[in-house]
Amino acid sequence: MKPLVYILLIGLIGLNGCKKFERIKGVDIEDWDPDLALAIVNTRASVDDVLNNFETGGFIDIDSTTGAMRLVYEGNLFSVTGKELTNVPDFTIPVVDSFITEQFDFPAGDVIQQADFKNGTLSYSLKSVTSGDIEVKLQFPSATQNGQPLETTVMINSNSTATGSISLANSSFDFANNNDFPVRYIAKEVANGNRVLLGTSSSITFQDLDYSYVQGYIGNYNFTLPLDTIVLDIFKNWKRGQIYFDEPKIEIKIQNSFGIPIRLTVDKFDAYTFKGGVIPLNSTQLTSGIDFSYPSISEVGKTKETIITIDNTSNLPNIIGNVPKEFYYQMSATANPTNTPTSNTFFLDTSKFNVDILVELPLYGWAKDFVVEDVFSLDLSLYEEFDYVDFKLITENGFPAEAKVQLYFEDENGNVLDSLIHKDEPVLLGAAPVDGNGKVTEEKKESIYSQFPIARYANLRDNAKQLRLVAAFETTGGGNQSVRVYPDYALAVKLGARGSLNMDEVLGE
Amino acid sequence: MRYIYITLFFLCYIGKTNAQQEQSLYFMDGNFYNHYTNPAKLPEYKAMFNILPTPYFNFSNTGFSFNDLFEEQGDSLMLSPQKLLKSLRKYNFLQLNLNIDPISFAFRIKKFHFSFNYAMKTSIYLNYPRSFFDLAWEGNGQFLDETVDIAPDFQAMLYNEFAIGAGYQINDKWSVGGRLKILVGGFDASTDRASATLYTNPEIYQLELATDYRVNVSAFGIPENIREGSKDTTQSNSLDFSKFPRFMGPNVGAAVDLGGTFQLNDKWRFALSVTDLGAIRWNTNATNFYSNGQYDYDGLDVSALVKEENVEFDVIVDTLVERLQFNQTQNSYTTWLPVKMYMGAEYTPVKWFTAGAMVYNEVYKRQAFPAFSLSARFHAGRFFSGGLVYGIRNRRFDNLGANLMFDLGALHIFLVSDNIIPIFAPFDARNTNIRFGIHFNIGKLKKD
C-alpha cells in the first residue's frame, strides 16, 4: 500500500507540473524599453572643406609661405579668335597683258602688308590666240609657296583655252604696296620659242583663301563679350549683421595673343548686395578703359598678360560691407581704338584674348553679429518608436570667432515647434583662444545636453518636418579686431542621441 | 512489485530530473556501462550484452530554471526576460546529450576483458554570456564606456562511435584498461573562435564592435546555396536528413579512454581514468563563417550638407550592418571531444555497503568543469543494489543522485540518475540526466 501512496503523491506533483505548462500564456515584455545610445553626427570640417565645397567657382588659395588664405571667385570672358577679324574674299584678275597689277579686295579700311594662307585655290583660264601650241609660265612676283616663288607652267594647244588650278596651301602673299598684287606671264610658241600674247579673256581667280597670319591694319574692330556673373555664395545664407574683409580686391587678368592694340571697356560692373541693393563698382582704373598689352611683330605666337587690380582705393570695401551676393558685369573691347594705322600689327587665325575676373577675399577681417541661416528637411518617422530622446552635442571650435547657435524644429509651414538647444536661447560656442600674433592656440570645446522627455519628443516626432539652423558669428574682441583664418582651423560637430525604444511599438503590440 | 513502482516513478519524470555527467554510474560496479567511466573496471561476468538500445539523456543549464523564466500573473504564466536576467551569471553553460547504444557487448577471457559498442551520440554545449541578454533587454545606453561580451561559444555535434575496449587484470591489486573509439561525424556546428565585444563610447555614443568569431559547420544535407553563400532565397534552406551518414562517413576521428584501478586491500580501492580523449576531423562539407576585425561607427559625416546635398539618416542602420562582415571559406577543421577525468576511492567495510568519493573534471574548450561526489551504495542480497550519490557541481550543492540495479539472474535492469531532487521541485531544476537499460550477464565470476 505504501508504495502506491508514494506514487500517487508524486503523481499529483507531476500532474501539477503538467498543469503549470498549460498556464503559459505568452511573453511579458511590457517593461521592455531598452536604452539605446548611438552617434548621429560626427563631422570635422576645416576652412578648406567648408569653403571649397561651393559649386559656383569659388576656391581657396593658400599662400605657401605665410599660410594666409584667400577665397577667390572667378569669372571668365573669352573673345573671338583672329579667324573672325577679317576675311579675304574670292578675287579674280583679268589677264589682259603679260604684266598686270590688281588690288586685292580686302574689307574697306584694311591695309594689309602680308597674308599667309593655309588653304586656298588659284584657278586659271588661259586662252591661246596663236596657231600652234604654246607654253605659258605664270609668275606671281610678290607671292611664295613653301618659301619658293609662286609660279606655274601651263601648256595650251593651238587656238584653245587651258583651265586648271593650283593649291595655295602654305603660301604667303606680300601686299606691301597698297594691297596691290602683281601677276606676270611669259607665253612662248613651242615650235619656235617666239613670245606671244594670250587672249584678253584669260583670267586668274583666287578662291577660298583661308589665312593663318595677317599683318597690317584692320581698322576698328569691336569685340562683343558676353554678360557674366560671379556669385559669392559665401554670403548666401546671410540674414543680418556685419562682416568686413581686410584687403579685398578684384583682379582683371587679360591674356592676349593678338598683335593689335585693344582696349577693354567695362560697360557695367555692379554688385547686387543684401544690404545696399545694387552698388556699381567705381574705380579710376576702369574709367578710361584698359589698354592691355599685346605681342610685338617679333613675338608672333606669344601671349601677353595684363593685370589690373582694384583694391581699397575703389569702393570695393563698401560693397563687401554691404554683403554682396553677386557681381554682374559686361565688357566690350575695341581693336585699334585710336584709329592709327600701323604696319606692325598682326594676328593669327588662332589669336584671342581671355579676360578673367577674380574677386579675392583674404580670410582676414572681422564679423559682428553676422547671422547665417539654413533649413534642412527632417524626417523623424524612423524614430517613432522612441519614447524620449536625449541629445548630446559636442563642438570643438578651432576658429577665433564665437558663435551663438540654435536649431529650431519647425512644421511644414515653418512654425517653430521646439529648439534643440536650451529652449528659446541659443548656445554660445566660445571662440578659440589666440596668441599674440592672432593665431589660434587650441580648440574650444563645448558639451551641451538637451533632453526631450516623452511629451516633448512626441511633438517633434509627429510634427517636425524641417530643421532651421541659425548661427550668429562674432570675431574676437566683440567683432572689433580683425582675425586671420588659417587652413588648419576647423570646426568639429558631434551629436549623439540616447533614448528609450518602446518595444511594444516595434513589435506591433 | 514495489521495485516496479519505483522504476515507473522515475520513468515518469524523464526530463525533469537534475543530473551530473555520469557520476552515479561511476559507482555502479557490476553494471555493464560502468566501464565507460573507467575501462580498467572489469566486469564480473564472462559475457555481457544489451538486449535493447540503451538510452542516455543529459541536460544541464547553469543559467536558469523554468521558474527563473516565467512569472506568475494571476492565473497565467508570462515569460519574463527581466526575471531571467536576475538568475543569469556572467557566463552560463548549457549542455545537452542524447546517446543511444544500440549494440554493446563484452566478454572476459581469463585476465583479459574485451568489449565492443556502437553508439549514436548527440552532444550540445553552449556557453552564453549574460551580457548578451543584458544588452538586448537594457540597451547599450546602460553600458557606456564598457566593453560588453556578446558572443556565445557553442558546439553541436552528432556522431557515431565504434569502440573496442580491452582490460587486463595484472594481479590482485592492479588492473588497467583502454578503449579505442572510431568516431564518424554526421553533423557539427561549432565555434573555434568566439570573441565579439561591443563598446559604446561615452563621448557621443560611438560604437566599436570587435570580432574574432568563427563558426564551422559540417553537415551532409546542407543546401548547395547555403554552402556557397548564395543569397538566393528561392531555394530550400532545410537540412536534408536523408543525406546524413548512417554508419560510416568521410568525417572521421578517434578517441581513447584510459584507466587503471588499484585494490589496496579488501576494503579500499582507488581508480583513475581519462575518457573521450580525441577529436573528429571534418574534411567534407565543411564551411567556415569568419568575422575578424574591429568595426567602428562614429556617426555620419554631414559635410555634404554644406553642398546642399541630402544626408539620409536612415542609412545609419545599413551602415552598421555593412560594417559587420562575415567571410566564408570551405576549410577542414577539427573538433575535440570534451575530455573527462575521474579519480575515485571506494571503501567497503562490509560486503553489503560501499562508500565512495570521486573527483571529476570535464574539460571543454580549455575550460574546466569540476565536480565532486560522495556515494553510499547498498547491496540487498544478490537481486538488488542501489545507492545515493551526493554531488557538488558548477557551484551548485543541490545534486542528489540515485542508482538502482536489479539482478534477475542473467537479466539485469538498471536505472541511474545523478539528481533526483527535481522530482520534488521540477521547476527549479537546472540539471537532469538519466540512463537506463537491460542487459544480459552470463557466467558470474567467482571472487578469489
Side-chain angles (χ1 to χ4, degrees), chain A residues 78-89 105-112 209-225 256-263 292 294-295 333-337 345-353:
Chain A
F78 295 92
S79 71
V80 298
T81 61
K83 190 177 176 180
E84 315 295 327
L85 251 60
T86 189
N87 70 294
V88 182
D105 192 15
F106 287 113
D110 289 3
V111 179
I112 307 301
L209 292 169
D210 198 2
Y211 63 84
S212 59
Y213 171 82
V214 175
Q215 180 182 336
Y217 177 76
I218 61 166
N220 269 169
Y221 183 86
N222 292 317
F223 295 89
T224 301
L225 304 176
N256 174 37
S257 57
F258 282 105
I260 304 173
I262 303 175
R263 177 175 295 165
F292 51 89
Y294 58 95
T334 305
N336 297 311
T345 56
F346 69 92
F347 56 92
L348 304 170
D349 60 330
T350 56
S351 292
K352 63 177 180 180
F353 68 84

Side-chain angles (χ1 to χ4, degrees), chain A residues 85-282:
Chain A
L85 251 60
T86 189
N87 70 294
V88 182
D90 294 349
F91 179 64
T92 298
I93 299 176
V95 183
V96 297
D97 203 347
S98 61
F99 182 83
I100 54 175
T101 300
E102 287 285 336
Q103 260 194 345
F104 241 82
D105 192 15
F106 287 113
D110 289 3
V111 179
I112 307 301
Q113 275 78 48
Q114 178 184 331
D116 296 345
F117 298 100
K118 56 187 180 184
N119 281 309
T121 305
L122 185 155
S123 304
Y124 56 81
S125 175
L126 305 176
K127 182 174 173 56
S128 170
V129 294
T130 306
S131 57
D133 295 343
I134 61 174
E135 176 190 87
V136 180
K137 184 178 282 185
L138 276 175
Q139 293 175 327
F140 305 92
S142 60
T144 60
Q145 187 174 45
N146 295 317
Q148 302 300 316
L150 180 64
E151 58 186 32
T152 189
T153 301
V154 180
M155 299 299 293
I156 311 176
N157 293 329
S158 166
N159 290 315
S160 64
T161 301
T163 60
S165 64
I166 59 174
S167 168
L168 293 177
N170 300 319
S171 62
S172 176
F173 287 19
D174 186 352
F175 299 103
N177 190 17
N178 199 30
N179 296 346
D180 286 345
F181 188 73
V183 178
R184 177 189 292 127
Y185 73 81
I186 301 172
K188 291 181 180 177
E189 288 188 77
V190 175
N192 53 30
N194 293 334
R195 289 187 67 163
V196 295
L197 289 175
L198 296 173
T200 55
S201 63
S202 297
S203 65
I204 295 169
T205 301
F206 298 90
Q207 293 170 297
D208 302 326
L209 292 169
D210 198 2
Y211 63 84
S212 59
Y213 171 82
V214 175
Q215 180 182 336
Y217 177 76
I218 61 166
N220 269 169
Y221 183 86
N222 292 317
F223 295 89
T224 301
L225 304 176
L227 199 67
D228 201 10
T229 306
I230 295 176
V231 176
L232 275 64
D233 51 8
I234 187 174
F235 298 119
K236 67 177 179 183
N237 293 324
W238 173 88
K239 277 297 173 189
R240 65 172 188 274
Q242 299 170 276
I243 188 165
Y244 182 78
F245 288 88
D246 285 8
E247 305 162 6
K249 60 182 177 181
I250 294 176
E251 272 191 354
I252 300 176
K253 276 190 188 176
I254 307 160
Q255 307 275 345
N256 174 37
S257 57
F258 282 105
I260 304 173
I262 303 175
R263 177 175 295 165
L264 185 73
T265 303
V266 178
D267 300 316
K268 177 186 286 209
F269 205 128
D270 295 341
Y272 286 68
T273 69
F274 284 103
K275 291 170 73 174
V278 177
I279 304 176
L281 177 66
N282 294 324

